[in-house]
Amino acid sequence: QLLGCDCAQQLSRGQDPGAASLLREGSSLWGVLVGVVLRYGIHVPSDVNNVTLSCQVQSSPATLLVNVSGKFYEYTLKGEISAQELNNVQDNEMLRKVTFDPEVFFNILLPPIIFYAGYSLKRRHFFRNLGSILAYAFLGTAISCLVIGSVVYGCVALMKVTGQLGGDFYFTDCLLFGAIVSATDPVTVLAIFHELQVDVELYALLFGESVLNDAVAIVLSSSIVAYQPAGDNSHTFDVTAMFKSIGIFLGIFSGSFAMGAATGVVTFTKLREFPLLETGLFFLMSWSTFLLAEACGFTGVVAVLFCGITQAHYTYNNLSTESQHRTKQLFELLNFLAENFIFSYMGLALFTFQNHVFNPTFVVGAFLAIFLGRAANIYPLSFLLNLGRRNKIGTNLQHMMMFAGLRGAMAFALAIRDTATYARQMMFSTTLLIVFFTVWVFGGGTTAMLSCLNIRVGVDADQENVGVPESERRSTKAESAWLFRMWYNFDHNYLKPLLTHSGPPLTTTLPGCCGPVARCLTSPQAYENQEQLKDDDSDLILNDGDISLTYGDSAVNADSVPSSGASRRFVGNSSEDALDRELAFGDHELVIRGTRLVLPMDDSEPPSNVLDSARHGPA
Amino acid sequence: MEKLKKYVSVKDEDHFYHQGAVELLIFNFLLILTILTIWLFKNHRFRFLHETGGAMLYGLVMGLIIRYVTKSPDVESGTVYECEKLKSGPSTLLINITNQVYEYQYKREISHHNVNGHQGNTILQKMTFDPSIFFNILLPPIIFHAGYSLKKRHFFRNLGSILTYAFLGTAISCIVIGLIMYGFVKAMVHIGQLKQWEFHFTDCLFFGSLMSATDPVTVLAIFHELNVDTDLYTLLFGESVLNDAVAIVLTHSISIYSPKENPNAFDAAAFFQSVGNFLGIFAGSFAMGSSYAVVTALLTKFTKLCEFPMLETGLFFLLSWSAFLSAEAAGLTGIVAVLFCGVTQAHYTYNNLSADSKMRTKQLFEFMNFLAENVIFCYMGLALFTFQNHIFNPLFIFGALVAVFVARASNIYPLSFLLNLGRKQKIPRTFQHMMMFSGLRGAIAFALAIRDTDSQPKQMMFTTALLVVFFTVWVCGGGTTPMLTWLQIRVGVDPDEDLKARAASQSAPNLDKNTTKAESAWLFRIWYGFDHKYLKPLLTHAGPPLTSTLPEWCNPVARILTSPRAYGDQLKDGDTVYIINNDELTENYESSAHIAVPAQDSTASTQATGKEDIQEGDLGLGGCKLQLQHTAGQPQNSLA
């Protein structure tokens, strides 16, 4: 086992000097190389070390004590083995050693990756596009799962006719396959986007979709597995079982969500003076979320994702600056190591996994299916979303999103989880090939595709924000519909002050009757904010002059505000304004507080923003 | 029907798995509780309980709860099955249970009298980690961090003393504990508590070696907080770090020691084999660890990796881990390799890293160290109740406590006396008392003891080691602050201030320098010269370029190996710096009355002292490039 570790490690080390975006290709390539060497280069004589015995045991205990000629040996349960696997177990010992337990992926390697994804969601753009992202992630994944399932089912039916099928393959298996390969993971593409500073909107859409996508795919696949029609005739359609599955889906999803969010909320610390303790607590709490969800029968990975998002939203603001750095870097490193490990293991698995079932028809069908699935996901949904969005998703962006449907670690981990039956083994082999193909071909072709589609690169996120004309600003606001608006209000007025040091003190936002409670819960720093709000007035006046100055300049805003009522209005709307700001600069506490101070020095955009919100205020 | 059964079995597996999550969750909550408590304590400046002590306390409470509140739900596990057909224990076992084949993996062999213990509570069983986890997962980060954070300046100044304490001291302590324990064992046999043939002298020595690994984290944390005298800190820290390595290898060699005929008789051949083993393993691990670090240094030096801090940190981490794994794979001691890897990384590689990576690696290992340490101490508390084969023997425990203190005394006092003969800057009485007092036992002793708990003597040792750890961590750890005030050891010393003060006080600068100089004997002097002239320029960007230090004929090679930055340091203004330096030196020189040098060759001897002084600078501020710059100018000047 140690040797195995070392090998895999050599791999991930081998690719280190490569450029950041080429990491995955590199690591999986190294994995393939070593896999070939292990498979064909090393021959370990297989001893007769597996004997099947028949004993008087009724169940399968977790530990087994065996008395062999006077000596006691302890054995631990590893797993159940299906009948056809029995012969393969006797195979090459070396290959067995480099094959990890699939649960390792789910319990050790995936959580840091997923947590980091949640923790590093670019919140500003994420929340601005929340509606679209949710649509892509939930509806899109369901569509993709169904489309892939049906295409593959057609393919399987064809194989049955031609007699290529060597085992059972039901429709549920097809759907499971659909769910597995619906988990997109465009890290390669995102890395290139990040480097080239591609349009932020596109980045946010892709990233948000891929993150939530994973969660949906996990829960979806586990509920498909749980789909157990009643009665003898399994694998026929059964309404109750389907509703049960849907119930399980919703239950697991909301349970994991609640658990993750709850732990994220609970982790609010006052350990600022001791960064090490703070980091430790942060890490342990996040890990506890995972374990708690697993212990309760929910999906730990999903819980950890939402925990990451909540931590980033609330807890991150409470941490001391050093801890902020530390946690970011720690999870960045963990994510980096885990990801490379998975990809190099993938390469290794192509040769060392012992029960591959490669079926050309199925592979071709699967490739066809994932493209159709991706297309059926992106284009119709984009069309529908564009009906509602003011800031349309351009056709070239749609093409790019279609192109960026890479499959990665999550699909692999889901596929390797259960490789007991013939159908599952075929799915695993096919998934592996899909991952390789998409990562190497699509990942490698991203830059070419970008220039081909004329997508603008080199966009500075903040710059762009400033340059947006008034009409577009309004459109983004329109996009975040009333539901999100309400949520923001709630978040800003109650949750943020409760959980972090920022925002208006609770004493002002809560009704008078809750005064004492509010006083306990508000942090002293919030009162400082309040004081700042108080002396805001003077700021505001300065501001006001500035605004009226720019106001006169700007020809876009034709409607004028009565100057007598202006200052009063501004006071009334200042919280609203802060709200809007927060959307934009959610993660910069300082910026939020300092907004008014910064304003006079800024160019004409922010004041118009203020005015904008002023106009929207009463509505 | 079959379907249903399969479903049930899946359910079982799930249940099995969830149980694992629950166990880890318990640990997590214990650690979270520990962190919160420690924060509370730190906030209120209570110093009597360190985080490790707190973790142990919570572990103890949790162990108590698990032991007496939970009930065993599983009856069947623990039944022994007879298999006549099998001749040996295969590594995997396939068992056909009513037409379903299960795979079982070999775990270990169990001795006869332990079989009953396995029929006990399954939850207790599950809360027991595999001992190899300590050695393969938890200890390496702790030890690496220790090596990586050795305060180099003071460490190298006291290297001689530290090595003496670590090697000689540990050997003495091991033998003394072994002898005393042998006496107690004899007494126990006499009064009939123990059977004669069970406890050999080698067992006693084994116990002695594992109890020799001191681990004064608690004390060091307090020292660090109070800024206790740096010399004391360095002596203790250096000793405890190297100590661990020595104790681990010593334990290993003792357990290998197997005389041919009579296990109690002395066998010279076997003894020398053990000694050879000790030396071989130690040297091998040392070489393995440092060679990995050298590779890392070269990689970071000759590639532009520092533009990607993320990759750099990843590489650093992976290579350090590889040092551990390859030492283990080669049959050496991974922990010792990792220790020396850490020291070497800190000495060379650290200088090559980008500023971002420096921060990252430091914080990463600090964090891992923190977590691993607390997990171990927490587990220790838990193990007191959940470990199933405890053998509490009051006499043995009492004997062990006595032996530990006597051995610590016979380690510190005589060695300090001997060292004081050679040292100009004596180790005062109070320091000796403090060092005697801070002989806490910790993670290493525990890990060594839990490694092998098959036979009865080993179980007794484990129990006793656990109790000794508890006692020393709580009593000695808690009593550190009172002890410091009682011994009137000065606190609140800023190390840099201290050094400056010494350097600045004109009255005895040379005296002071001389003492430290004298302490680092000629062997180290040669090493420093070599290190500074060849290794540092080869492995880092600092130091004089190799082209100037190597002989002429190596020039082409030297040019390749020297980094461009070293030429940059080649000190355009090196001369001026040196001249100033030189002036200062001569000034000091004249004012000092201690060194009587004939005036006529004053310039020549100034050159000589100049060299020495520079080396001193390296000793003192090993990590600082600026200080090294004078040296670069030095050869030129002597040429001129």
Side-chain angles (χ1 to χ4, degrees), chain A residues 2 6 9, chain B residues 132-141 144 288-289 292 318-330 332-339 341 451:
Chain A
L2 277 181
D6 213 25
Q9 208 183 308
Chain B
S132 65
I133 285 184
F134 292 103
F135 265 86
N136 296 324
I137 296 172
L138 293 173
L139 280 184
F144 184 86
M288 186 76 81
Y292 265 99
L318 286 176
L319 275 167
S320 307
W321 194 23
S322 307
F324 175 80
L325 291 176
S326 30
E328 286 284 319
L332 303 168
T333 315
I335 293 192
V336 179
V338 127
L339 170 67
C341 181
R451 208 175 200 184

Side-chain angles (χ1 to χ4, degrees), chain B residues 439-483:
Chain B
L440 308 190
R441 267 63 178 174
I444 301 275
F446 172 77
L448 282 172
I450 205 177
R451 208 175 200 184
D452 181 5
T453 52
D454 271 349
S455 64
Q456 221 150 353
K458 294 280 163 70
Q459 284 167 9
M460 203 151 84
M461 282 182 208
F462 173 66
T463 310
T464 313
L466 205 57
L467 288 177
V468 171
V469 172
F470 277 113
F471 180 78
T472 52
V473 167
W474 281 336
V475 174
C476 297
T480 310
T481 331
M483 198 71 183

Side-chain angles (χ1 to χ4, degrees), chain A residues 9 13 16 50 61 64-65 67 72 74-76 78-81 96 107 271 273 294 326 329, chain B residues 9 17-18 39 43 81-82 90 92 95 100-101 103-105 107-108 110 311 318 322 325 360 363:
Chain A
Q9 208 183 308
R13 199 183 328 138
D16 274 339
N50 296 283
L64 199 69
L65 299 179
N67 181 358
F72 293 94
E74 186 178 355
Y75 285 85
T76 45
K78 215 177 148 204
E80 197 186 323
I81 289 176
R96 278 174 59 81
N107 298 323
L271 306 178
E273 297 113 67
E294 286 286 332
R326 276 179 186 232
Q329 291 179 349
Chain B
S9 85
Y17 172 61
H18 289 155
W39 166 70
N43 224 14
Y81 299 101
E82 311 284 336
T92 35
I95 294 179
Q100 269 182 315
V101 183
E103 187 177 3
Y104 280 84
Q105 187 134 48
K107 212 173 153 203
R108 59 184 162 170
I110 296 170
L311 294 184
L318 286 176
S322 307
L325 291 176
R360 275 175 191 236
Q363 291 179 350

Side-chain angles (χ1 to χ4, degrees), chain A residues 215-216 218-224 226 244-260 293-294 296-303 306:
Chain A
V216 177
I218 294 174
V219 184
L220 203 59
S221 63
S222 65
S223 38
I224 288 175
K244 215 178 96 194
S245 275
I246 293 177
I248 290 174
F249 175 85
L250 292 178
I252 292 182
F253 203 89
S254 51
S256 310
F257 175 78
M259 203 154 277
E294 286 286 332
C296 297
F298 297 126
T299 316
V301 177
V302 178
F306 290 109

